[in-house]
Amino acid sequence: MGQVGRISRASLLGVVLVAQAFAPVVAQQPANPLAPYIKVQAPDVALTHVRVIDGTGAPARDDQTIVIRDGNIAALGAAAGTPPPAGATVVDLTGKSVIPGLVMMHEHLYYTTGPGVYGQLGVSFSRLYLAGGVTTMRTAGNVNGIMDINLARRIAGGEMPGPYIDATAPYVNGPNTFLQMHAVESANQARTHVQYWQEQGSTSVKAYMQISRASLKGAIDEAHKRGLKITGHLCSVTYGEAADLGIDNLEHGFFAATDFVADKQPDVCPGQGRGQQTIAALDEEGAPFKALVKKLVDKHVALTSTLTVFETFTPGRPMPPGLDVLTPQLKANFERAHERASQNQQSVYATLFAKAMRLERAFVKAGGVLIAGTDPTGAGGVVPGYADQRQIELLVEEGFTPVEAISIATLNGAKYLGRQGRIGSIALGKQADLVVIDGNPSATISDVRRVETVFKNGVGFDPAKLIESVKGQVGIW
Ligand SMILES: [Zn+2]
């Protein structure tokens, strides 16, 4: 720095002036980027006189108090015996309910925006997921790779609003015709893919429809060696084969099973439609189905129910919720698709949708683990957050009680992720991930749509503000 002595007074003055011009910016504490969306934040928060639906499947408990401190549930019990701490921010929730933050397992940060094109909508989607009550989610595959990882990090760092994200690697798939998808052609390439993406920050893996058994085996072994779980939306590999290879989870209930296609060639996807014809015609009391269920249960393979995406293809079903947040063009595209679906009485979904619900129920009755997700792909009618609430309604339509359906969408997901010690149910000492609902979803499941506040790590977010911030924009970012 010997040259400093030669700088003239004038130029030195210039440096000082420039430094001063920037000084206010440097000195200012950066504003909390989450502040515009926060409704309740205090050292101690007491939710009083609330109905607790704890996520375990137990009956609702009326008139409870929950004390939140340092992001955790510091006290929980009957309101009469659980006074709010001195100085606590007290929120009287008489007549309202609280359920655990949703743990949703087939979510995406991309969306169908054009023919064969998936737009990366991670910023708006993470806000919508949180607004819908989702405090933890797995992205079940992606066509980009780094966005899921970066969003997971930024959200964890408090820079952006959104749920905790278990970020999958880009799909592990065989040769395919998707414009935005990698292809692996051997077990070795599958291993390299898993290794590379874990090193980038992915925390789970999803295999896809055209993968070979050999590549799938490579991906499963590499994932497990690295402590990652692996799921699959399969077609070329049957559910039974994947279970034998050691997969942890299968997506879309039985909608994607090709186990019952009579002339199925090994490692070849006979077409999703061929598989679905066999599922629509399958006898849930028959030996072939029962043998598959037994294998999945024995090998601890979880199934993810994603009724929401299939509902949008099924004739006679209501318009899905949340379309108003989409760009007008995407909304119109979906409305046309919905109209076509409603008029197509030949559609396999006319029988498949109800059948697949019965098969999922049979799987759970036989001891299988069902987790829940939404899959915001398809024709573009599955809107994050809104669809997560719809998925819970559909689990009730499938035959689960409301508290069972809530448990599938909370504690079951947490257990699958191995995080049930911290999240997934409302219990003393657990993380304060809580959804405040204006109503009683243990009696009327559609009340899950009436989300008033979403606590994540003890901070209460305002769903209306999160939604308002993206309204009409979803499809662009
Ligand atoms: Zn998906």
Side-chain angles (χ1 to χ4, degrees), residues 311-320 333-343 379:
E311 183 181 37
T312 64
F313 304 136
T314 304
R317 303 293 303 185
M319 198 63 101
N333 285 352
F334 175 73
E335 283 166 349
R336 278 194 297 276
H338 189 261
E339 181 62 25
R340 280 195 301 275
S342 354
Q343 284 166 5

Side-chain angles (χ1 to χ4, degrees), residues 55-57 103 105 136 229 302 369-371 407-425 430:
T56 65
V103 183
M105 302 297 288
T136 300
K229 285 195 168 178
V369 173
L370 193 68
I371 55 184
S407 185
I408 290 167
T410 55
L411 190 55
N412 281 13
K415 285 180 180 167
Y416 178 84
L417 294 171
R419 302 187 61 224
Q420 72 275 19
R422 293 292 297 138
I423 62 165
S425 66
K430 277 198 175 183

Side-chain angles (χ1 to χ4, degrees), residues 15-38:
V15 170
V16 170
L17 288 175
V18 169
Q20 278 173 344
F22 281 102
V25 178
V26 175
Q28 219 167 43
Q29 194 70 359
N32 177 3
L34 306 187
Y37 314 105
I38 292 174

Side-chain angles (χ1 to χ4, degrees), residues 133-337:
V134 180
T135 51
T136 300
M137 63 186 242
R138 176 181 65 184
T139 59
N142 65 64
V143 292
N144 169 285
I146 206 66
M147 192 187 211
D148 292 19
I149 296 166
N150 286 341
L151 275 169
R153 286 180 180 149
R154 299 249 178 118
I155 291 168
E159 297 169 42
M160 297 172 79
Y164 168 95
I165 296 175
D166 174 18
T168 38
Y171 295 98
V172 196
N173 198 9
N176 63 79
T177 56
F178 292 94
L179 289 170
Q180 293 160 297
M181 212 177 274
H182 298 244
V184 300
E185 298 193 48
S186 68
N188 252 344
Q189 287 182 7
R191 285 177 176 279
T192 304
H193 181 97
V194 171
Q195 175 185 343
Y196 175 81
W197 284 103
Q198 189 195 29
E199 285 168 358
Q200 299 308 306
S202 299
T203 45
S204 71
V205 181
K206 181 176 173 190
Y208 208 58
M209 293 171 65
Q210 284 80 22
I211 198 164
S212 68
R213 289 163 300 169
S215 294
L216 180 58
K217 175 76 174 139
I220 290 170
D221 289 349
E222 191 67 23
H224 288 170
K225 191 178 99 186
R226 296 171 169 276
L228 304 181
K229 285 195 168 178
I230 175 166
T231 190
H233 168 180
L234 301 178
C235 180
S236 48
V237 179
T238 66
Y239 281 25
E241 288 168 343
D244 285 333
L245 293 172
I247 204 162
D248 299 299
N249 184 194
L250 291 161
E251 298 305 305
H252 306 305
F254 291 96
F255 282 93
T258 51
D259 299 59
F260 308 103
V261 175
D263 58 351
K264 163 95 178 58
Q265 301 297 306
D267 298 328
V268 177
C269 171
Q272 198 85 88
R274 299 260 341 264
Q276 292 187 336
Q277 293 291 348
T278 65
I279 298 299
L282 196 61
D283 175 7
E284 69 255 41
E285 299 298 333
F289 177 66
K290 289 201 158 171
L292 175 59
V293 167
K294 184 173 186 325
K295 176 174 287 208
L296 299 178
V297 172
D298 288 349
K299 294 186 178 287
H300 308 289
V301 181
L303 270 193
T304 312
S305 172
T306 64
L307 297 166
T308 38
V309 67
F310 300 111
E311 183 181 37
T312 64
F313 304 136
T314 304
R317 303 293 303 185
M319 198 63 101
L323 299 175
D324 283 346
V325 301
L326 300 175
T327 61
Q329 191 167 8
L330 276 186
K331 182 169 184 265
N333 285 352
F334 175 73
E335 283 166 349
R336 278 194 297 276

Side-chain angles (χ1 to χ4, degrees), residues 106 108 110 140 171 206 252 375 377:
H106 191 128
H108 292 298
Y110 70 84
Y171 295 98
K206 181 176 173 190
H252 306 305
D375 196 15
T377 58

